[in-house]
Amino acid sequence: MSLVTQGREPRQQMVLRPQPGSKQVVIATHSSAVTVETGGRSEPAPQVPSTRMTFIIHVQSITPEGDVRYDFTLDAVDLLVEPGTLQRSVDALRASLAFMPGLTGKGTAGRRGNTLDLHLPSSLDPARRKELMDLTRALQFVGNALPTEPLGVGARWEQPLYGSGPVAASGTASFELASIHGDRVTTRFLIQQTSRDQPVPAEYKTRSAGEERMLLRSQSKGETVFRLDRLWPARCDMEMRVQADLSAQKEDPPRRLRLITDMRLRLEEQPG
C-alpha cells in the first residue's frame, strides 16, 4: 500500500478495532446483467434475478501485528425477481443456489492485505463457481485496510493488484478518504485490472475445439462507510464492469466475441 497524500488537517490514525468474539450481520445484494457483442451486433443476455445474501461474521482473534482473523456463515440466500424475468431462469437459479445457505468461510483483514475464502463444493457448476468467486473478490476489496499514517479528509492511497487464477489480471486499487464523522469513515475507491492476452482456459471456452484467446479487463468503483469498531463495512455500494474479449483468428472468417458483465453490489450492516 502506497500513501499518495495524507489529506487535510486535522489528521488521525484510522484503525479498525473490532472486539474478538464480536458478531456482525451484513446483507449483500448482488445484481448482474450480461451483454453479448458479436458480428457488429449487441444483445442483452436473458435477465436473471438478483440475489440477497445474509452473512454472519464472527471476529475470532487479532494478531499482535493487527491482522483480524474471522469466520463467517452464509446464513440465507433470497432471490429478488424483477417483472419480465423468465420463470425458467428463476427456477434454474433457485435450484443452483439451493446448496448455499449454511456455507462457511474465513478471512483475514489487516495492514498486509485481505484474504477471503468461501468454502465451495468441488461439484459446483463452473459458471456458478465463477460468479461466486467474482463476488468473493468484490467482497475482499470492500474491507481494504486503511494506511497506518494519520489521515485527514482528502487523503489518497493506492495498492497494486497481482492477478491469480486461470485468467490472472493485474492492476491498481486507488482510494480516497471522503469524510470523517465520529467513528464513521467514508472512502471512495476505483479498482482497475487487465489480464494478458492468453489462450482461453477450458472453463471459459465457447467451443470444444479451436484456438480461442481471451483478454480480460475490469473496473470497479464505489463508496464504503466504515465503523472503526466493526470489521466489515457498515455500508458499501460498488459498480463493477468486466469485459472479456474472445477471438479465434484461425477461423474463416476470424471470430470475435465480447462479453460485458455489469454487476452491482450493496453491503449493509443490520442493526443489533
Side-chain angles (χ1 to χ4, degrees), residues 16 24-28 142-143 183-186 223-237 266-271:
L16 300 180
Q24 191 178 8
V25 179
V26 175
I27 305 296
V142 299
D183 68 346
R184 289 182 176 261
V185 177
T186 301
E223 182 178 273
T224 304
V225 178
F226 293 97
R227 278 184 54 179
L228 297 181
D229 62 345
R230 296 286 191 269
L231 178 61
W232 277 26
R235 179 180 58 78
C236 178
D237 290 290
R266 181 178 178 85
L267 296 186
E268 193 164 21
E269 181 183 23
Q270 299 303 291

Side-chain angles (χ1 to χ4, degrees), residues 96 104-105 167 171 240 243 258:
S96 70
T104 60
V167 186
M240 181 177 186
Q243 177 179 306
R258 173 171 291 174

Side-chain angles (χ1 to χ4, degrees), residues 20-84:
S22 62
K23 171 185 172 182
Q24 191 178 8
V25 179
V26 175
I27 305 296
T29 304
H30 173 258
S31 62
S32 63
V34 177
T35 302
V36 181
E37 297 181 359
T38 183
R41 296 180 300 174
S42 176
E43 295 184 4
Q47 181 173 292
V48 297
S50 301
T51 58
R52 182 173 59 207
M53 302 182 183
T54 303
F55 291 88
I56 301 177
I57 301 102
H58 290 96
V59 175
Q60 298 299 321
S61 63
I62 301 178
T63 69
E65 297 78 19
D67 292 333
V68 182
R69 294 172 179 162
Y70 64 98
D71 297 328
F72 62 90
T73 300
L74 181 49
D75 187 61
V77 179
D78 302 302
L79 298 187
L80 308 176
V81 183
E82 294 289 336

Side-chain angles (χ1 to χ4, degrees), residues 153-157 174-179 186-190:
V153 174
R156 291 184 290 117
W157 60 98
S174 303
F175 302 86
E176 179 184 2
L177 201 164
S179 67
T186 301
T187 64
R188 299 190 182 101
F189 58 88
L190 175 65

Side-chain angles (χ1 to χ4, degrees), residues 72-202:
F72 62 90
T73 300
L74 181 49
D75 187 61
V77 179
D78 302 302
L79 298 187
L80 308 176
V81 183
E82 294 289 336
T85 305
L86 296 176
Q87 186 60 44
R88 63 174 178 270
S89 297
V90 177
D91 294 341
L93 183 56
R94 181 174 287 116
S96 70
L97 299 179
F99 74 95
M100 290 187 63
L103 282 180
T104 60
K106 61 182 179 180
T108 301
R111 301 294 187 187
R112 294 171 292 180
N114 295 350
T115 64
L116 186 64
D117 181 24
L118 182 61
H119 301 153
L120 299 174
S122 58
S123 59
L124 185 62
D125 173 75
R128 186 61 55 211
R129 177 180 295 276
K130 177 182 179 302
E131 182 176 333
L132 291 174
M133 293 306 295
D134 287 342
L135 175 59
T136 299
R137 281 190 287 271
L139 290 171
Q140 178 178 326
F141 285 128
V142 299
N144 198 77
L146 299 161
T148 57
E149 295 86 352
L151 305 175
V153 174
R156 291 184 290 117
W157 60 98
E158 297 180 345
Q159 180 173 337
L161 304 173
Y162 303 102
S164 61
V167 186
S170 302
T172 303
S174 303
F175 302 86
E176 179 184 2
L177 201 164
S179 67
I180 306 171
H181 297 289
D183 68 346
R184 289 182 176 261
V185 177
T186 301
T187 64
R188 299 190 182 101
F189 58 88
L190 175 65
I191 302 166
Q192 300 181 94
Q193 293 178 276
T194 304
S195 75
R196 60 184 176 84
D197 185 6
Q198 61 189 301
V200 173

